[in-house]
Amino acid sequence: MAYPPIKNPGPVRALALSGGGFLGLYTAVVLAGLEERIGEPLGRRFDLLAGTSIGGLLALALAYEVPMARLVTLFMEQGPAVFSSRELPQGALSRLVDLSRSVMGPKYSGKALRDALRNELGEQRLEDARHRVIVPAVDVRDCQTKVFKTPHAAASLGDGASSAVDVAMAACAAPAYFPSVRIGRRIYADGGLFAVAPDQLALHELEHFIGVPGEHVLMLSIGTAVAHYRPSGGVREDAGAVGWLSDGRLVLTMLSAQQQHVQAMLEDRLGSRYLRLDADWPASAGLGIDVATPAAIDLLGALAQKTLNNTDTALLQEFIG
């Protein structure tokens, strides 16, 4: 695929989508709202797309110009099959039972997710993508980081033959939640292990591999509604495995902390050329990375609409072109 030339000097626009499992419904609704506003595939407005975990799945969909409204529908229709229609467990016993689901193997098989992706992306390869995209993963056998890329630069030519579905599955293969994914001779897991927010990866890709000066970059970054996350049950200094793992506390802490840290660094690097969209974690919300209940669907959608309504239209226009 021949990609549109990058303007030099810029502005050069990048879109970075954070990870967060089913919380990515928030991201998808924001993206669908932006796409509705501009009246064309959103991927056409960016020179580089980057996404981690569920954000990687969404970035790939944008790269192939799958309508974001369609992704929102998939979350709502397939979410309970891919993740769980159960609410967060209440009480010590139910929490232990929930934790036991991932003791001997992944909590979910990943089959429903793969089937849904295959229906949208078919047999397409990374080299078939219409827009540049990068998606991080981890080679779990050798404990090495990996960034899957469309063949938009000399350093990324080797990934072109990789299946888009396989890359999306690898991106979403959160340890203990989904099985790792074999691509060629390697076995990959979720890139959120090192880059929940791929903003720095996107900036590095533009500067180092594509040759764009940082001062020409405009970056729109979208989170997964975990800003200012607080554990619903409070914290104890002597918490053990149950305390850290119950209600997804360990994962949600990692998501929120990494996204906050990356946001702070990119604001330092890019200043007003960086825009972060996210929602504050609602207290006692009953949300989780694998909670796909009707209440979670309604709440994430409402948070996304609030973000769209409260973000200055002229400012957004600057970042989406």
Side-chain angles (χ1 to χ4, degrees):
M1 175 69 68
Y3 301 103
I6 288 180
K7 299 175 183 178
N8 199 359
V12 175
R13 292 181 170 85
L15 176 65
L17 306 176
S18 298
F22 191 74
L23 299 172
L25 173 58
Y26 165 86
T27 319
V29 174
V30 171
L31 293 171
L34 296 178
E35 198 162 74
E36 182 180 10
R37 289 185 185 185
I38 65 174
E40 67 174 354
L42 187 60
R44 297 179 186 176
R45 297 299 183 97
F46 295 95
D47 298 290
L48 180 68
L49 306 165
T52 297
S53 191
I54 194 65
L57 187 158
L58 291 168
L60 285 164
L62 287 168
Y64 293 93
E65 297 192 354
V66 178
M68 286 298 100
R70 174 62 183 158
L71 266 295
V72 171
T73 299
L74 284 177
F75 269 95
M76 297 172 66
E77 293 181 348
Q78 300 297 325
V82 173
F83 295 99
S84 171
S85 59
R86 296 184 298 272
E87 297 181 352
L88 282 176
Q90 303 295 322
L93 180 59
S94 60
R95 286 173 174 155
L96 285 171
V97 170
D98 186 65
L99 289 175
S100 71
R101 293 189 174 98
S102 57
V103 170
M104 301 305 293
K107 196 172 183 180
Y108 308 107
S109 70
K111 182 181 182 303
L113 178 57
R114 182 174 285 275
D115 289 345
L117 288 172
R118 189 177 290 114
N119 286 338
E120 297 301 322
L121 299 175
E123 301 300 322
Q124 295 186 94
R125 307 288 178 175
L126 280 186
E127 62 193 9
D128 301 320
R130 299 183 182 185
H131 308 288
R132 301 174 187 87
V133 63
I134 62 172
V135 178
V138 172
D139 180 335
V140 294
R141 185 184 65 184
D142 293 338
C143 294
Q144 293 182 343
T145 61
K146 166 68 177 176
V147 180
F148 287 98
K149 308 177 184 183
T150 47
H152 54 258
S156 61
L157 297 180
D159 294 332
S162 299
S163 159
V165 171
D166 284 347
V167 172
M169 290 297 298
C172 294
Y177 287 90
F178 292 103
S180 297
V181 176
R182 182 179 295 275
I183 299 178
R185 297 181 180 181
R186 302 288 182 176
I187 300 175
Y188 295 102
D190 192 335
L193 289 170
F194 74 99
V196 165
D199 310 40
Q200 293 182 94
L201 298 180
L203 184 58
H204 182 69
E205 185 73 19
L206 287 168
E207 290 182 320
H208 184 73
F209 294 107
I210 301 179
V212 176
E215 60 267 24
H216 296 166
V217 175
L218 286 174
M219 185 178 296
L220 174 62
S221 173
I222 305 178
T224 45
V226 294
H228 308 113
Y229 163 73
R230 298 289 186 276
S232 60
V235 298
R236 293 171 46 187
E237 62 268 28
D238 60 348
V242 173
W244 269 103
L245 298 176
S246 292
D247 300 339
R249 177 187 164 196
L250 178 61
V251 173
L252 290 168
T253 299
M254 181 183 73
L255 292 177
S256 183
Q258 282 200 41
Q259 291 186 40
Q260 289 176 49
H261 184 59
V262 168
Q263 177 180 351
M265 287 193 292
L266 267 292
E267 287 174 344
D268 289 342
R269 286 290 311 277
L270 300 180
S272 62
R273 290 176 286 108
Y274 178 80
L275 176 62
R276 172 76 172 175
L277 302 182
D278 205 358
D280 284 336
W281 182 261
S284 303
L287 297 176
I289 69 166
D290 64 335
V291 176
T293 61
I297 290 171
D298 290 344
L299 179 54
L300 290 167
L303 290 172
Q305 288 298 334
K306 183 178 179 180
T307 296
L308 289 167
N309 294 338
N310 291 348
T311 304
D312 182 78
T313 301
L315 180 62
L316 269 178
Q317 192 66 37
E318 179 182 356
F319 283 83
I320 63 177

